[in-house]
Amino acid sequence: MERDTDAPLALPEWLSAEELTRLRDLATAMADDAARLVVTERPRSLGVEATKSSEVDVVTVMDQRSEQLLRERIDAERPDDAILGEEGGASEGTSGLTWVVDPIDGTVNYLYGHPFFAVSVAVCIGDTTREGAWLPVAGAVSAPLLGETYAAAHGQGAHLVTADGRREPLAVSDCERLELALVGTGFGYEAAKREEQGAAVAQLLPKVRDIRRGGSAALDLCFVASGRLDGYYESGINAWDQAAGQVIATEAGAAIGGAPGGEMGKAMAIATAPGIFADLTDCLFPEAR
Ligand code: IPD
């Protein structure tokens, strides 16, 4: 679904640069705390607590505990803000800000002990329950086993904090040729969706340097921000997979978009170095050329 109006979402006046910095730093502190929790308190024999869209779309007890920690922190420190979480759904607020949280993005990797997973925390304006009607304005993605935390605030650039405390500004790659691009993507959990995604990736593969499937959309977007990927696309992702990574990639200079004529969102999310955005979009939607 698209927004009712074509006007871009404008930042409210009260959301000053200082306030955005505070929100980014709060998102970072909360993402780091939850990331620490999922590593230090991971049960020795971690199992599947529940499944969602299919038998392979899993929830662990640590997804639930991480989201509980994030919700308690947001309720304590920002009681007027709304929350949208992967496991707990939406709760209302009065401030006009919504925290969009993914307690573990890359849950399947986490279940297997694969290090490519992260906690993703974003602050958004607009209506996060409506496709294309919201915008992330600050956020953080904390990947504890990589020892990396990515963060950004609207208009203030994006940075990475490494395990040894170094803070590095982020910038997308200068890739200008799709045939030389390293492109990340991801797949949903339903067989029919995967058939579609498999067909799309099969026609793209001969046209790029190579394809990567990391297993965490939030980190894929951060890898575009840092130049470790030249681009990323995926159809079917949710607001909590996208929100923090979107503001980080945007602030690092990425071009972002969705299906032709639509916003970045569930139908399609694309984030690339500016030099390959048009060619990747054309490749994914040849009929719209
Ligand atoms: C998933 C990851 C994965 C992407 C899926 C998402 P989850 O999130 O981000 O990379 O391909 O579409 O659902 O389930 O691990 O939170």
Side-chain angles (χ1 to χ4, degrees), residues 174-262:
D174 57 5
C175 183
E176 294 202 327
R177 290 172 57 199
L178 189 59
E179 63 271 30
L180 297 182
L182 186 61
V183 177
T185 191
F187 308 117
Y189 293 110
E190 288 157 87
K193 181 75 188 165
R194 284 189 175 179
E195 266 182 45
E196 265 173 42
Q197 291 170 323
V201 81
Q203 64 86 25
L204 181 64
L205 184 55
K207 300 178 182 132
V208 295
R209 182 190 295 271
D210 210 342
I211 295 285
R212 293 289 179 269
R213 194 294 191 248
S216 159
L219 276 175
D220 287 334
L221 287 163
C222 293
F223 275 29
V224 172
S226 68
R228 287 179 181 164
L229 289 173
D230 298 306
Y232 160 78
Y233 78 93
E234 183 169 351
S235 62
I237 64 170
N238 292 296
W240 45 80
D241 304 312
Q242 174 186 328
Q246 177 179 340
V247 65
I248 292 164
T250 304
E251 286 298 318
I256 64 159

Side-chain angles (χ1 to χ4, degrees), residues 42 46-48 58 60 104 106-114 117:
R42 179 191 161 107
L46 182 71
V48 172
V58 298
T60 72
I104 301 178
T107 300
V108 172
N109 284 345
Y110 178 72
L111 181 68
Y112 279 75
H114 185 304
F117 64 87

